Amino acid sequence: MIFVVAALHCEAKPIIDKFKLKKKSVYSKLELFENDEIRLIVSGIGKIRSAIATTLLLSQSKLSSDSVVVNIGCCGSARDDMMIGELVFINKITDKANGRDYFPDPILRHGLKEAAMVTHDVPVEKNKIDQPEGDLVDMEASGFFQAASMFVDHHRIYCFKIVSDFLELSTLSKEFISGLIEKKMEAIDHIFSMFPGLHEKETEVFQAQEIELLRRVGGILKLTQSQKHQFVELVRSAKVRNRNVMEKLSECSAWEIKSKSENKDAFERIRKILSQ
Amino acid sequence: MPSNESGKSLVNNHFSHIYIENQALDYADTRRLLNRFPNAVRVFIRDYKDVFNRPHQRFQFQKRSMNLILALKKDNFLYSGSDQAPDFGHRHFYYNSLIMNCVYNCDYCYLQGMYPSANVVVFVNNDDFIAETKRQLAVHPMYLCISYDTDLLAFENVVPFCARWIEFARHQSDLKIELRTKSSNYKAIAHLTPSCNVILAWTVSPQEIIEKYEKETPALARRLEAIGSAIEDGWNVRLCFDPVLRVDRWQSMYAACVDQTFSSIPADKLTDISVGVFRMNADYLSRITKQRTNSDILYYPFKKSNGTASYSPKEREEMSQFMLAILEKYNAKEKIFV
Ligand code: SF4
């Protein structure tokens, strides 16, 4: 699943429309939209709000090894060679207030321009800006990234920004912002379509019926808590080594254990079988 | 390499990005590397640890598209040799870390458990490493491994650290350096005059092991060609059958490998041979197995003792004796370090 965090409704709208996301009335203060593959939350402006919304979105969702978390929105540029409407992959995020840097892994072959982003607490003006750390300016990315990294590994956190201004501090209309994102929806769609191939679901070592078998054998052998832990690790190792482990375990489920000493013997037998 | 339906790769090429410490910018090796990868995206950083030591990284994911980090090493220019590595009877055994991480990706590599990141850190202040080594040499002789947490020769076309250290060692009577490699890139140093202060040490593994567990590394035949050329040119050459892995049919694999090796390498011209059964710091192994379940050799029911995971003492003994026996067919016992 792709989890998207956008600051403003007008930034989210083209994504909502493109992927036909349906509004869910879950939270009174934050808008949430979703379909089977994408969940999007509108955070509001600022890094704290972005962190709160990201946390809410990810803590209330079922995450798996193929979950990807994406921040999409507009930003200002301190660099003149950027174009208004340019979609940019952010490879470094600096929190201006505390000076900390965050680094999304640049592994995906996205084909976009890249830049470093500086997240400010208040809107900044071109003439007054002093930020050697990066070229782009926003108010959310550092909060988003910190919150997302509490839930998923760094390589599954992305930040894409569209340049909307050169820090002139003029008010941009909602239509203008939506229009910028709208124009980049094809590129965003293409990037989203790459995620499942890159972030494949990690195959679980045990299937559901195997977990059931482990539980059954663990119960029959009357394993202690620490033995259970060792037992699972032994089975996991043997399974990765292709040692037909489940067949062997099925045989053990016929054992009868009556006493503590029998339990010890049985555990040692199991250990031997699984270590072959 | 993952690709989309039209077969295009989903990941960037290796070294598509170069992280550069601000203070490393003005170094000749930085300029060399930036020229070598002119299209790489440059990301400026304060300290390499900000990128390299980040929590929540995925080593094997980053291995699909490794990036470069150019940094200055500020301390620890020399480390005392680890207990896991053979010291060949040298009292003052050291290693250094000119590069952290490796372009290869062996399943059994401890770097996956030791480092949080698979990105390759190159320290561009090589002169400081040399200066510290000189200072130490003024105190006592040294045996120094320069390709320890990496494969330096595999990286020689990118930064010529091997050539630099060979030239340095040539003029230090109290220094012996070991350059350990799986690379077949001997031609990168073939122009140098051999030095008696340098040992070129090649890891030799059965071809089946190379294909399955030493990903991206040259085939056995190519390694043997490189070894043959180095011997012919007059270098000191060590063969390392290390790590020996207890896979199915390990005896026949290693016996065939030893036969193939000595059918092309003149045993009498070798400096020595080192044999080591697989062992790894137990914490590293546990970190690796938490991240990956796609390599059966890491899931062997190892025994742990003194913080090291390896085969049982009985198995280790059996493997060492077996290797000794097959190597003694071609070599004098005194030349083989087990
Ligand atoms: S060649 Fe050595 S350092 Fe490189 S991956 Fe293999 S074991 Fe690790």
Side-chain angles (χ1 to χ4, degrees):
Chain A
M1 182 151 233
I2 301 171
F3 296 92
V4 182
V5 181
L8 301 170
H9 185 87
C10 57
E11 292 173 319
K13 190 167 182 308
I15 305 170
I16 295 167
D17 292 348
K18 169 83 187 174
F19 297 107
K20 301 190 174 53
L21 307 184
K22 296 270 170 306
K23 183 160 184 171
K24 302 279 286 183
S25 325
V26 192
Y27 315 119
S28 57
K29 298 231 165 83
L30 294 166
E31 288 184 302
L32 181 75
F33 301 85
E34 68 175 21
N35 67 15
D36 288 345
E37 280 115 36
I38 299 171
R39 292 192 106 190
L40 180 149
I41 196 160
V42 180
S43 67
I45 293 175
K47 69 182 186 196
I48 305 268
R49 283 175 187 223
S50 187
I52 291 171
T54 307
T55 304
L56 199 62
L57 177 68
L58 299 180
S59 61
Q60 306 286 307
S61 304
K62 197 165 173 278
L63 300 177
S64 55
S65 53
D66 59 349
S67 303
V68 173
V69 193
V70 188
N71 176 215
I72 297 181
C74 287
C75 69
S77 173
R79 215 165 91 184
D80 291 335
D81 64 341
M82 286 282 181
M83 301 239 297
I84 298 288
E86 179 107 47
L87 177 62
V88 185
F89 172 93
I90 305 303
N91 55 30
K92 175 185 169 190
I93 300 164
T94 303
D95 187 307
K96 188 67 186 172
N98 63 20
R100 291 231 175 91
D101 296 326
Y102 306 93
F103 298 93
D105 274 315
I107 309 265
L108 180 79
R109 189 187 280 261
H110 49 69
L112 306 174
K113 215 175 216 174
E114 295 196 16
M117 167 70 73
V118 182
T119 300
H120 288 255
D121 287 348
V122 289
V124 282
E125 216 177 317
K126 187 165 191 170
N127 304 331
K128 295 184 186 147
I129 196 164
D130 163 34
Q131 57 167 54
E133 308 91 341
D135 303 313
L136 301 183
V137 175
D138 87 335
M139 292 178 64
E140 287 82 30
S142 70
F144 157 78
F145 195 92
Q146 284 183 79
S149 60
M150 299 289 286
F151 295 90
V152 299
D153 289 338
H154 281 190
H155 68 283
R156 294 194 273 131
I157 307 174
Y158 292 87
C159 186
F160 295 102
K161 294 281 170 168
I162 294 166
V163 178
S164 61
D165 59 84
F166 291 104
L167 308 173
E168 295 97 351
L169 278 196
S170 51
T171 314
L172 305 171
S173 73
K174 290 179 188 167
E175 292 73 27
F176 176 73
I177 291 175
S178 289
L180 289 180
I181 306 225
E182 171 78 54
K183 285 200 192 101
K184 289 295 168 193
M185 275 320 296
E186 206 177 305
I188 292 171
D189 186 19
H190 175 64
I191 285 166
F192 280 15
S193 74
M194 293 166 93
F195 287 146
L198 183 61
H199 300 279
E200 308 110 339
K201 203 167 194 154
E202 283 168 20
T203 40
E204 301 293 339
V205 175
F206 299 120
Q207 308 295 317
Q209 71 268 31
E210 294 174 335
I211 294 174
E212 188 43 45
L213 178 62
L214 288 190
R215 275 210 195 102
R216 213 171 56 234
V217 175
I220 289 168
L221 299 181
K222 297 193 172 66
L223 299 182
T224 64
Q225 213 43 40
S226 105
Q227 283 174 334
K228 262 185 202 153
H229 181 73
Q230 289 178 50
F231 172 63
V232 171
E233 280 313 302
L234 282 167
V235 182
R236 184 165 171 255
S237 298
K239 181 127 199 261
V240 177
R241 295 172 59 232
N242 300 319
R243 293 301 196 241
N244 289 335
V245 66
M246 291 304 159
E247 268 170 40
K248 288 177 189 167
L249 275 189
S250 304
E251 290 163 21
C252 307
S253 58
W255 295 0
E256 264 187 58
I257 307 296
K258 294 198 190 93
S259 67
K260 254 194 176 170
S261 67
E262 279 185 12
N263 152 290
K264 259 194 174 168
D265 291 347
F267 189 63
E268 274 320 303
R269 270 162 68 197
I270 287 261
R271 186 198 290 282
K272 274 215 176 103
I273 292 171
L274 294 175
S275 300
Q276 274 159 15
Chain B
M1 206 51 73
S3 55
N4 64 12
E5 277 153 24
S6 55
K8 274 202 180 153
S9 173
L10 294 173
V11 299
N12 285 317
N13 294 338
H14 291 312
F15 309 143
S16 62
H17 288 67
I18 304 185
Y19 296 91
I20 313 156
E21 272 187 357
N22 294 324
Q23 51 198 349
L25 253 177
D26 203 19
Y27 278 74
D29 277 336
T30 300
R31 286 190 288 276
R32 164 194 285 272
L33 281 150
L34 294 177
N35 284 336
R36 176 79 169 70
F37 301 102
N39 298 323
V41 176
R42 300 171 187 187
V43 184
F44 296 96
I45 55 175
R46 269 184 289 257
D47 188 314
Y48 80 91
K49 290 176 190 149
D50 294 347
V51 182
F52 192 74
N53 288 353
R54 282 174 294 152
H56 313 301
Q57 296 181 83
R58 275 274 166 169
F59 193 97
Q60 283 302 328
F61 189 83
Q62 291 176 340
K63 268 284 178 194
R64 298 176 185 186
S65 166
M66 290 177 278
N67 287 313
L68 270 180
I69 302 175
L70 310 185
L72 297 188
K73 182 96 170 152
K74 297 180 192 79
D75 47 22
N76 295 324
F77 294 101
L78 288 170
Y79 296 98
S80 288
S82 110
D83 298 342
Q84 317 272 345
D87 59 12
F88 301 95
H90 294 275
R91 222 177 112 209
H92 301 292
F93 167 40
Y94 289 87
Y95 68 96
N96 62 18
S97 192
L98 307 172
I99 293 180
M100 292 158 77
N101 268 327
C102 179
V103 290
Y104 300 140
N105 191 14
C106 304
D107 280 25
Y108 55 74
C109 182
Y110 66 92
L111 298 178
Q112 309 165 81
M114 187 167 95
Y115 291 146
S117 167
N119 290 326
V120 177
V121 181
V122 177
F123 291 111
V124 294
N125 55 332
N126 192 58
D127 290 348
D128 294 337
F129 284 87
I130 299 245
E132 180 59 28
T133 308
K134 274 187 186 157
R135 259 195 292 281
Q136 201 61 243
L137 281 170
V139 182
H140 54 63
M142 282 170 79
Y143 177 80
L144 176 65
C145 294
I146 61 162
S147 180
Y148 207 77
D149 298 329
T150 186
D151 191 314
L152 221 50
L153 189 59
F155 217 70
E156 187 69 1
N157 296 347
V158 180
V159 210
F161 281 149
C162 300
R164 269 183 223 163
W165 280 81
I166 289 169
E167 287 310 326
F168 167 64
R170 184 190 308 288
H171 305 292
Q172 314 297 321
S173 54
D174 276 347
L175 175 64
K176 189 145 229 156
I177 61 171
E178 186 210 67
L179 172 64
R180 178 89 178 254
T181 188
K182 288 187 177 93
S183 168
S184 56
N185 189 24
Y186 169 67
K187 63 182 178 307
I189 52 167
H191 61 285
L192 303 173
T193 311
S195 161
C196 57
N197 294 346
V198 177
I199 298 174
L200 304 182
W202 262 279
T203 302
V204 180
S205 307
Q207 182 56 28
E208 295 92 326
I209 298 272
I210 293 175
E211 277 163 27
K212 202 163 171 204
Y213 303 117
E214 296 181 353
K215 300 202 182 80
E216 328 289 341
T217 68
L220 176 59
R222 291 192 45 218
R223 288 187 212 178
L224 293 177
E225 268 170 41
I227 295 167
S229 306
I231 291 177
E232 210 175 297
D233 290 347
W235 291 90
N236 292 326
V237 172
R238 165 176 297 146
L239 297 189
C240 306
F241 292 88
D242 184 358
V244 179
L245 299 170
R246 200 174 176 90
V247 293
D248 291 342
R249 300 184 300 103
W250 64 273
Q251 289 103 324
S252 59
M253 274 187 204
Y254 281 94
C257 171
V258 167
D259 288 341
Q260 186 182 348
T261 301
F262 292 102
S263 69
S264 68
I265 302 297
D268 57 320
K269 300 261 168 57
L270 284 174
T271 301
D272 53 32
I273 294 165
S274 141
V275 175
V277 167
F278 171 81
R279 70 265 173 221
M280 193 193 287
N281 174 302
D283 290 339
Y284 297 165
L285 182 65
S286 127
R287 236 171 269 160
I288 297 169
T289 50
K290 270 193 194 115
Q291 284 214 4
R292 61 187 293 185
T293 50
N294 59 356
S295 180
D296 56 347
I297 44 164
L298 297 168
Y299 282 82
Y300 195 88
F302 296 117
K303 298 279 173 277
K304 286 178 196 157
S305 143
N306 296 328
T308 300
S310 185
Y311 304 111
S312 70
K314 205 169 137 220
E315 288 167 330
R316 291 172 62 83
E317 182 60 19
E318 181 194 6
M319 294 164 82
S320 301
Q321 288 309 322
F322 178 82
M323 290 304 293
L324 204 55
I326 54 175
L327 286 164
E328 276 179 19
K329 275 188 0 197
Y330 302 96
N331 300 278
K333 202 173 179 173
E334 305 73 60
K335 255 193 183 179
I336 309 170
F337 290 83
V338 181

mmCIF file with all atom_site columns, all heavy atoms in Angstrom, chain A residues 41-58:
data_model
loop_
_atom_site.group_PDB
_atom_site.id
_atom_site.type_symbol
_atom_site.label_atom_id
_atom_site.label_alt_id
_atom_site.label_comp_id
_atom_site.label_asym_id
_atom_site.label_entity_id
_atom_site.label_seq_id
_atom_site.pdbx_PDB_ins_code
_atom_site.Cartn_x
_atom_site.Cartn_y
_atom_site.Cartn_z
_atom_site.occupancy
_atom_site.B_iso_or_equiv
_atom_site.pdbx_formal_charge
_atom_site.auth_seq_id
_atom_site.auth_comp_id
_atom_site.auth_asym_id
_atom_site.auth_atom_id
_atom_site.pdbx_PDB_model_num
ATOM 1   N N   . ILE A 1 41 ? -3.691 11.311 3.445  1.00 0.00 ? 41 ILE A N   1
ATOM 2   C CA  . ILE A 1 41 ? -4.164 12.169 4.526  1.00 0.00 ? 41 ILE A CA  1
ATOM 3   C C   . ILE A 1 41 ? -3.761 13.614 4.220  1.00 0.00 ? 41 ILE A C   1
ATOM 4   O O   . ILE A 1 41 ? -2.677 13.850 3.661  1.00 0.00 ? 41 ILE A O   1
ATOM 5   C CB  . ILE A 1 41 ? -3.626 11.693 5.901  1.00 0.00 ? 41 ILE A CB  1
ATOM 6   C CG1 . ILE A 1 41 ? -4.428 12.323 7.038  1.00 0.00 ? 41 ILE A CG1 1
ATOM 7   C CG2 . ILE A 1 41 ? -2.141 12.006 6.075  1.00 0.00 ? 41 ILE A CG2 1
ATOM 8   C CD1 . ILE A 1 41 ? -4.303 11.565 8.353  1.00 0.00 ? 41 ILE A CD1 1
ATOM 9   N N   . VAL A 1 42 ? -4.638 14.540 4.561  1.00 0.00 ? 42 VAL A N   1
ATOM 10  C CA  . VAL A 1 42 ? -4.337 15.971 4.381  1.00 0.00 ? 42 VAL A CA  1
ATOM 11  C C   . VAL A 1 42 ? -3.935 16.503 5.751  1.00 0.00 ? 42 VAL A C   1
ATOM 12  O O   . VAL A 1 42 ? -4.740 16.507 6.685  1.00 0.00 ? 42 VAL A O   1
ATOM 13  C CB  . VAL A 1 42 ? -5.567 16.735 3.824  1.00 0.00 ? 42 VAL A CB  1
ATOM 14  C CG1 . VAL A 1 42 ? -5.220 18.206 3.642  1.00 0.00 ? 42 VAL A CG1 1
ATOM 15  C CG2 . VAL A 1 42 ? -5.998 16.125 2.495  1.00 0.00 ? 42 VAL A CG2 1
ATOM 16  N N   . SER A 1 43 ? -2.687 16.939 5.862  1.00 0.00 ? 43 SER A N   1
ATOM 17  C CA  . SER A 1 43 ? -2.125 17.209 7.190  1.00 0.00 ? 43 SER A CA  1
ATOM 18  C C   . SER A 1 43 ? -2.347 18.622 7.693  1.00 0.00 ? 43 SER A C   1
ATOM 19  O O   . SER A 1 43 ? -2.393 18.860 8.899  1.00 0.00 ? 43 SER A O   1
ATOM 20  C CB  . SER A 1 43 ? -0.620 16.935 7.164  1.00 0.00 ? 43 SER A CB  1
ATOM 21  O OG  . SER A 1 43 ? 0.036  17.873 6.328  1.00 0.00 ? 43 SER A OG  1
ATOM 22  N N   . GLY A 1 44 ? -2.448 19.582 6.796  1.00 0.00 ? 44 GLY A N   1
ATOM 23  C CA  . GLY A 1 44 ? -2.364 20.985 7.210  1.00 0.00 ? 44 GLY A CA  1
ATOM 24  C C   . GLY A 1 44 ? -0.911 21.439 7.095  1.00 0.00 ? 44 GLY A C   1
ATOM 25  O O   . GLY A 1 44 ? -0.010 20.620 6.885  1.00 0.00 ? 44 GLY A O   1
ATOM 26  N N   . ILE A 1 45 ? -0.718 22.755 7.264  1.00 0.00 ? 45 ILE A N   1
ATOM 27  C CA  . ILE A 1 45 ? 0.618  23.320 7.024  1.00 0.00 ? 45 ILE A CA  1
ATOM 28  C C   . ILE A 1 45 ? 1.507  23.200 8.269  1.00 0.00 ? 45 ILE A C   1
ATOM 29  O O   . ILE A 1 45 ? 1.043  23.353 9.389  1.00 0.00 ? 45 ILE A O   1
ATOM 30  C CB  . ILE A 1 45 ? 0.484  24.802 6.605  1.00 0.00 ? 45 ILE A CB  1
ATOM 31  C CG1 . ILE A 1 45 ? -0.192 24.866 5.223  1.00 0.00 ? 45 ILE A CG1 1
ATOM 32  C CG2 . ILE A 1 45 ? 1.839  25.495 6.543  1.00 0.00 ? 45 ILE A CG2 1
ATOM 33  C CD1 . ILE A 1 45 ? -0.497 26.245 4.749  1.00 0.00 ? 45 ILE A CD1 1
ATOM 34  N N   . GLY A 1 46 ? 2.786  22.937 8.041  1.00 0.00 ? 46 GLY A N   1
ATOM 35  C CA  . GLY A 1 46 ? 3.769  22.939 9.125  1.00 0.00 ? 46 GLY A CA  1
ATOM 36  C C   . GLY A 1 46 ? 4.258  21.538 9.461  1.00 0.00 ? 46 GLY A C   1
ATOM 37  O O   . GLY A 1 46 ? 3.552  20.556 9.267  1.00 0.00 ? 46 GLY A O   1
ATOM 38  N N   . LYS A 1 47 ? 5.480  21.492 9.975  1.00 0.00 ? 47 LYS A N   1
ATOM 39  C CA  . LYS A 1 47 ? 6.092  20.175 10.214 1.00 0.00 ? 47 LYS A CA  1
ATOM 40  C C   . LYS A 1 47 ? 5.427  19.400 11.352 1.00 0.00 ? 47 LYS A C   1
ATOM 41  O O   . LYS A 1 47 ? 5.369  18.176 11.321 1.00 0.00 ? 47 LYS A O   1
ATOM 42  C CB  . LYS A 1 47 ? 7.595  20.331 10.447 1.00 0.00 ? 47 LYS A CB  1
ATOM 43  C CG  . LYS A 1 47 ? 7.987  21.012 11.732 1.00 0.00 ? 47 LYS A CG  1
ATOM 44  C CD  . LYS A 1 47 ? 9.500  21.158 11.844 1.00 0.00 ? 47 LYS A CD  1
ATOM 45  C CE  . LYS A 1 47 ? 9.865  21.708 13.199 1.00 0.00 ? 47 LYS A CE  1
ATOM 46  N NZ  . LYS A 1 47 ? 11.219 22.218 13.293 1.00 0.00 ? 47 LYS A NZ  1
ATOM 47  N N   . ILE A 1 48 ? 4.904  20.143 12.344 1.00 0.00 ? 48 ILE A N   1
ATOM 48  C CA  . ILE A 1 48 ? 4.254  19.431 13.461 1.00 0.00 ? 48 ILE A CA  1
ATOM 49  C C   . ILE A 1 48 ? 2.976  18.760 12.964 1.00 0.00 ? 48 ILE A C   1
ATOM 50  O O   . ILE A 1 48 ? 2.734  17.585 13.223 1.00 0.00 ? 48 ILE A O   1
ATOM 51  C CB  . ILE A 1 48 ? 3.911  20.406 14.611 1.00 0.00 ? 48 ILE A CB  1
ATOM 52  C CG1 . ILE A 1 48 ? 5.159  21.155 15.053 1.00 0.00 ? 48 ILE A CG1 1
ATOM 53  C CG2 . ILE A 1 48 ? 3.198  19.687 15.752 1.00 0.00 ? 48 ILE A CG2 1
ATOM 54  C CD1 . ILE A 1 48 ? 5.946  20.568 16.154 1.00 0.00 ? 48 ILE A CD1 1
ATOM 55  N N   . ARG A 1 49 ? 2.189  19.516 12.204 1.00 0.00 ? 49 ARG A N   1
ATOM 56  C CA  . ARG A 1 49 ? 0.954  18.933 11.669 1.00 0.00 ? 49 ARG A CA  1
ATOM 57  C C   . ARG A 1 49 ? 1.269  17.768 10.739 1.00 0.00 ? 49 ARG A C   1
ATOM 58  O O   . ARG A 1 49 ? 0.562  16.756 10.730 1.00 0.00 ? 49 ARG A O   1
ATOM 59  C CB  . ARG A 1 49 ? 0.168  19.976 10.896 1.00 0.00 ? 49 ARG A CB  1
ATOM 60  C CG  . ARG A 1 49 ? -0.553 20.929 11.799 1.00 0.00 ? 49 ARG A CG  1
ATOM 61  C CD  . ARG A 1 49 ? -1.206 21.990 10.972 1.00 0.00 ? 49 ARG A CD  1
ATOM 62  N NE  . ARG A 1 49 ? -1.746 22.996 11.849 1.00 0.00 ? 49 ARG A NE  1
ATOM 63  C CZ  . ARG A 1 49 ? -2.945 23.532 11.685 1.00 0.00 ? 49 ARG A CZ  1
ATOM 64  N NH1 . ARG A 1 49 ? -3.700 23.173 10.698 1.00 0.00 ? 49 ARG A NH1 1
ATOM 65  N NH2 . ARG A 1 49 ? -3.382 24.437 12.524 1.00 0.00 ? 49 ARG A NH2 1
ATOM 66  N N   . SER A 1 50 ? 2.319  17.939 9.957  1.00 0.00 ? 50 SER A N   1
ATOM 67  C CA  . SER A 1 50 ? 2.677  16.863 9.040  1.00 0.00 ? 50 SER A CA  1
ATOM 68  C C   . SER A 1 50 ? 3.071  15.611 9.823  1.00 0.00 ? 50 SER A C   1
ATOM 69  O O   . SER A 1 50 ? 2.683  14.492 9.470  1.00 0.00 ? 50 SER A O   1
ATOM 70  C CB  . SER A 1 50 ? 3.840  17.321 8.144  1.00 0.00 ? 50 SER A CB  1
ATOM 71  O OG  . SER A 1 50 ? 4.077  16.365 7.164  1.00 0.00 ? 50 SER A OG  1
ATOM 72  N N   . ALA A 1 51 ? 3.826  15.818 10.904 1.00 0.00 ? 51 ALA A N   1
ATOM 73  C CA  . ALA A 1 51 ? 4.248  14.669 11.732 1.00 0.00 ? 51 ALA A CA  1
ATOM 74  C C   . ALA A 1 51 ? 3.034  14.009 12.385 1.00 0.00 ? 51 ALA A C   1
ATOM 75  O O   . ALA A 1 51 ? 2.935  12.781 12.442 1.00 0.00 ? 51 ALA A O   1
ATOM 76  C CB  . ALA A 1 51 ? 5.246  15.135 12.785 1.00 0.00 ? 51 ALA A CB  1
ATOM 77  N N   . ILE A 1 52 ? 2.108  14.837 12.859 1.00 0.00 ? 52 ILE A N   1
ATOM 78  C CA  . ILE A 1 52 ? 0.917  14.284 13.531 1.00 0.00 ? 52 ILE A CA  1
ATOM 79  C C   . ILE A 1 52 ? 0.098  13.460 12.526 1.00 0.00 ? 52 ILE A C   1
ATOM 80  O O   . ILE A 1 52 ? -0.303 12.333 12.804 1.00 0.00 ? 52 ILE A O   1
ATOM 81  C CB  . ILE A 1 52 ? 0.048  15.416 14.133 1.00 0.00 ? 52 ILE A CB  1
ATOM 82  C CG1 . ILE A 1 52 ? 0.790  16.058 15.302 1.00 0.00 ? 52 ILE A CG1 1
ATOM 83  C CG2 . ILE A 1 52 ? -1.313 14.886 14.576 1.00 0.00 ? 52 ILE A CG2 1
ATOM 84  C CD1 . ILE A 1 52 ? 0.138  17.327 15.830 1.00 0.00 ? 52 ILE A CD1 1
ATOM 85  N N   . ALA A 1 53 ? -0.140 14.046 11.349 1.00 0.00 ? 53 ALA A N   1
ATOM 86  C CA  . ALA A 1 53 ? -0.957 13.347 10.354 1.00 0.00 ? 53 ALA A CA  1
ATOM 87  C C   . ALA A 1 53 ? -0.277 12.056 9.888  1.00 0.00 ? 53 ALA A C   1
ATOM 88  O O   . ALA A 1 53 ? -0.927 11.021 9.729  1.00 0.00 ? 53 ALA A O   1
ATOM 89  C CB  . ALA A 1 53 ? -1.205 14.268 9.159  1.00 0.00 ? 53 ALA A CB  1
ATOM 90  N N   . THR A 1 54 ? 1.049  12.130 9.697  1.00 0.00 ? 54 THR A N   1
ATOM 91  C CA  . THR A 1 54 ? 1.786  10.927 9.256  1.00 0.00 ? 54 THR A CA  1
ATOM 92  C C   . THR A 1 54 ? 1.664  9.837  10.321 1.00 0.00 ? 54 THR A C   1
ATOM 93  O O   . THR A 1 54 ? 1.413  8.663  10.022 1.00 0.00 ? 54 THR A O   1
ATOM 94  C CB  . THR A 1 54 ? 3.277  11.271 9.014  1.00 0.00 ? 54 THR A CB  1
ATOM 95  O OG1 . THR A 1 54 ? 3.346  12.380 8.126  1.00 0.00 ? 54 THR A OG1 1
ATOM 96  C CG2 . THR A 1 54 ? 4.031  10.098 8.434  1.00 0.00 ? 54 THR A CG2 1
ATOM 97  N N   . THR A 1 55 ? 1.820  10.261 11.568 1.00 0.00 ? 55 THR A N   1
ATOM 98  C CA  . THR A 1 55 ? 1.731  9.296  12.675 1.00 0.00 ? 55 THR A CA  1
ATOM 99  C C   . THR A 1 55 ? 0.342  8.669  12.734 1.00 0.00 ? 55 THR A C   1
ATOM 100 O O   . THR A 1 55 ? 0.202  7.452  12.874 1.00 0.00 ? 55 THR A O   1
ATOM 101 C CB  . THR A 1 55 ? 2.035  10.013 14.015 1.00 0.00 ? 55 THR A CB  1
ATOM 102 O OG1 . THR A 1 55 ? 3.314  10.625 13.899 1.00 0.00 ? 55 THR A OG1 1
ATOM 103 C CG2 . THR A 1 55 ? 2.028  9.046  15.179 1.00 0.00 ? 55 THR A CG2 1
ATOM 104 N N   . LEU A 1 56 ? -0.653 9.523  12.608 1.00 0.00 ? 56 LEU A N   1
ATOM 105 C CA  . LEU A 1 56 ? -2.025 9.028  12.666 1.00 0.00 ? 56 LEU A CA  1
ATOM 106 C C   . LEU A 1 56 ? -2.279 8.033  11.530 1.00 0.00 ? 56 LEU A C   1
ATOM 107 O O   . LEU A 1 56 ? -2.777 6.925  11.747 1.00 0.00 ? 56 LEU A O   1
ATOM 108 C CB  . LEU A 1 56 ? -2.976 10.228 12.536 1.00 0.00 ? 56 LEU A CB  1
ATOM 109 C CG  . LEU A 1 56 ? -4.393 10.012 12.999 1.00 0.00 ? 56 LEU A CG  1
ATOM 110 C CD1 . LEU A 1 56 ? -4.426 9.683  14.480 1.00 0.00 ? 56 LEU A CD1 1
ATOM 111 C CD2 . LEU A 1 56 ? -5.213 11.281 12.755 1.00 0.00 ? 56 LEU A CD2 1
ATOM 112 N N   . LEU A 1 57 ? -1.888 8.440  10.342 1.00 0.00 ? 57 LEU A N   1
ATOM 113 C CA  . LEU A 1 57 ? -2.116 7.596  9.162  1.00 0.00 ? 57 LEU A CA  1
ATOM 114 C C   . LEU A 1 57 ? -1.442 6.227  9.328  1.00 0.00 ? 57 LEU A C   1
ATOM 115 O O   . LEU A 1 57 ? -2.057 5.184  9.087  1.00 0.00 ? 57 LEU A O   1
ATOM 116 C CB  . LEU A 1 57 ? -1.538 8.305  7.925  1.00 0.00 ? 57 LEU A CB  1
ATOM 117 C CG  . LEU A 1 57 ? -1.611 7.576  6.599  1.00 0.00 ? 57 LEU A CG  1
ATOM 118 C CD1 . LEU A 1 57 ? -3.058 7.455  6.140  1.00 0.00 ? 57 LEU A CD1 1
ATOM 119 C CD2 . LEU A 1 57 ? -0.807 8.309  5.524  1.00 0.00 ? 57 LEU A CD2 1
ATOM 120 N N   . LEU A 1 58 ? -0.179 6.248  9.752  1.00 0.00 ? 58 LEU A N   1
ATOM 121 C CA  . LEU A 1 58 ? 0.572  4.988  9.784  1.00 0.00 ? 58 LEU A CA  1
ATOM 122 C C   . LEU A 1 58 ? 0.223  4.150  11.012 1.00 0.00 ? 58 LEU A C   1
ATOM 123 O O   . LEU A 1 58 ? 0.237  2.921  10.948 1.00 0.00 ? 58 LEU A O   1
ATOM 124 C CB  . LEU A 1 58 ? 2.075  5.264  9.736  1.00 0.00 ? 58 LEU A CB  1
ATOM 125 C CG  . LEU A 1 58 ? 2.554  5.996  8.470  1.00 0.00 ? 58 LEU A CG  1
ATOM 126 C CD1 . LEU A 1 58 ? 4.052  6.224  8.507  1.00 0.00 ? 58 LEU A CD1 1
ATOM 127 C CD2 . LEU A 1 58 ? 2.181  5.213  7.205  1.00 0.00 ? 58 LEU A CD2 1
#
